[in-house]
Amino acid sequence: MLSINLIGAILVGLGGLVGYIKSGSLPSLGAGLTFAILIAIGDVLKGSEKTNFWTKFVFVTWAILALLMGFRFVSSWKFMPAGLMTVISITMTMINFSLMNG
């Protein structure tokens, strides 16, 4: 079964792909796939860890994505895609914070 982080990583990757298809934006594709891969790798590896390194790695990756998309949203005030990704990223950051400290 897919974890919430893997589902989020798929959404981020698909978002980058849609950005590329709709407007030809290579930065959207690159950022979307990079963050999706980092989150997926961290999520898969955190299952086999004895420390919290990969859990913290996934948390920090979501937090960085939330900051980047938050800045984009504030500069454009367009909900799609920056606002939606900000909401998703903040939500995932909070979920991972609770997993890290729970």
Side-chain angles (χ1 to χ4, degrees):
M1 185 159 129
L2 293 175
S3 73
I4 187 97
N5 283 310
L6 288 179
I7 293 168
I10 291 168
L11 288 175
V12 170
L14 286 175
L17 185 61
V18 169
Y20 176 72
I21 291 170
K22 283 185 80 178
S23 62
S25 174
L26 280 174
S28 290
L29 179 63
L33 292 179
T34 300
F35 275 97
I37 290 167
L38 289 174
I39 291 165
I41 288 171
D43 191 61
V44 168
L45 292 177
K46 76 179 188 175
S48 64
E49 69 179 340
K50 293 187 174 133
T51 64
N52 272 348
F53 175 79
W54 291 108
T55 303
K56 292 175 185 174
F57 178 83
V58 172
F59 166 76
V60 169
T61 306
W62 278 116
I64 291 170
L65 184 59
L67 286 172
L68 291 174
M69 295 308 289
F71 286 132
R72 263 190 82 195
F73 174 63
V74 168
S75 69
S76 70
W77 292 109
K78 293 181 182 176
F79 186 72
M80 288 300 289
L84 178 63
M85 285 311 304
T86 301
V87 170
I88 290 171
S89 300
I90 289 171
T91 303
M92 294 304 297
T93 301
M94 291 171 27
I95 289 170
N96 281 280
F97 182 77
S98 68
L99 292 173
M100 200 168 58
N101 295 312

